[in-house]
Amino acid sequence: MQIRLVVLMLIAIGLAACDSLSDAGGSSGGGVVTIPEGEIATVTRVIDGDTIDVMLDGREMRVRYIGVNTPERDEACYSNATRANSDLVQGKTVTLVTDTSDTDQYDRLLRYVYADGVFVNESLVRDGYAEVVKYPPDEAFYDDFLSLEKSAASANRGCHSTGIFDDGSYTR
């Protein structure tokens, strides 16, 4: 528990020291952030816009991004969100950072993901390919992601132009 608290504090310090929200233009990648300590893995497969498979400690593991949701296979903008995620992480070495929970009910690792100096969860929301989701207790970046989603929606970036995220709620 203390390690997770330290990690969350490092994340907060890193965000305060770095203006990762300065790219309001919506270009993929955004500002470079200070990467907190976490598990190092290699992305072996992009499943969709918010899920990847990684090689971690010699084992292939499925990772679900914390705090975001992207369109499902049968929904509008699925291909665009999946491609945006793939552009950020496919084949790359990533840093995986926990919030509170380790896994979800499907045994997927729940993580914030960093690749090439980019906070992937944040980038997907900022660029409009993901919507914010509040899944307590994992909500360290909820307020930041909410602000980014509102900006992306008002600018009609990414998937927002399809109306896929227009359910009137920011919680699931």
Side-chain angles (χ1 to χ4, degrees):
M1 187 67 173
Q2 280 186 323
I3 292 173
R4 288 189 179 149
L5 181 58
V6 170
V7 169
L8 288 175
M9 289 173 55
L10 289 172
I11 291 169
I13 291 168
L15 287 175
C18 176
D19 186 10
S20 65
L21 303 179
S22 64
D23 182 21
S27 64
S28 190
V32 175
V33 299
T34 302
I35 300 172
E37 287 190 37
E39 303 154 299
I40 304 300
T42 301
V43 177
T44 58
R45 181 173 173 219
V46 173
I47 305 303
D48 58 25
D50 55 32
T51 308
I52 56 177
D53 286 342
V54 300
M55 187 60 67
L56 176 64
D57 296 330
R59 292 180 39 204
E60 189 157 82
M61 306 286 291
R62 184 142 297 171
V63 177
R64 174 65 165 79
Y65 297 174
I66 299 172
V68 302
N69 184 54
T70 61
E72 301 302 327
R73 187 172 304 276
D74 61 340
E75 295 178 325
C77 208
Y78 167 83
S79 295
N80 298 44
T82 301
R83 186 172 33 256
N85 188 25
S86 184
D87 289 347
L88 291 168
V89 302
Q90 180 61 53
K92 296 183 180 177
T93 299
V94 295
T95 302
L96 307 173
V97 178
T98 58
D99 190 327
T100 301
S101 304
D102 187 49
T103 59
D104 66 8
Q105 68 268 30
Y106 306 108
D107 287 327
R108 299 176 297 187
L109 299 175
L110 296 173
R111 299 293 187 269
Y112 297 111
V113 178
Y114 296 81
D116 290 341
V118 174
F119 185 7
V120 176
N121 311 50
E122 175 188 85
S123 181
L124 291 169
V125 174
R126 180 185 50 252
D127 294 343
Y129 295 107
E131 64 182 335
V132 65
V133 178
K134 188 178 214 177
Y135 288 120
D138 302 296
E139 49 192 75
F141 290 99
Y142 176 77
D143 292 334
D144 295 332
F145 291 173
L146 180 60
S147 176
L148 290 170
E149 181 178 352
K150 288 178 179 180
S151 176
S154 68
N156 224 22
R157 283 196 294 272
C159 296
H160 287 281
S161 62
T162 69
I164 188 71
F165 301 139
D166 294 345
D167 64 359
S169 175
Y170 293 105
T171 60
R172 306 289 173 264

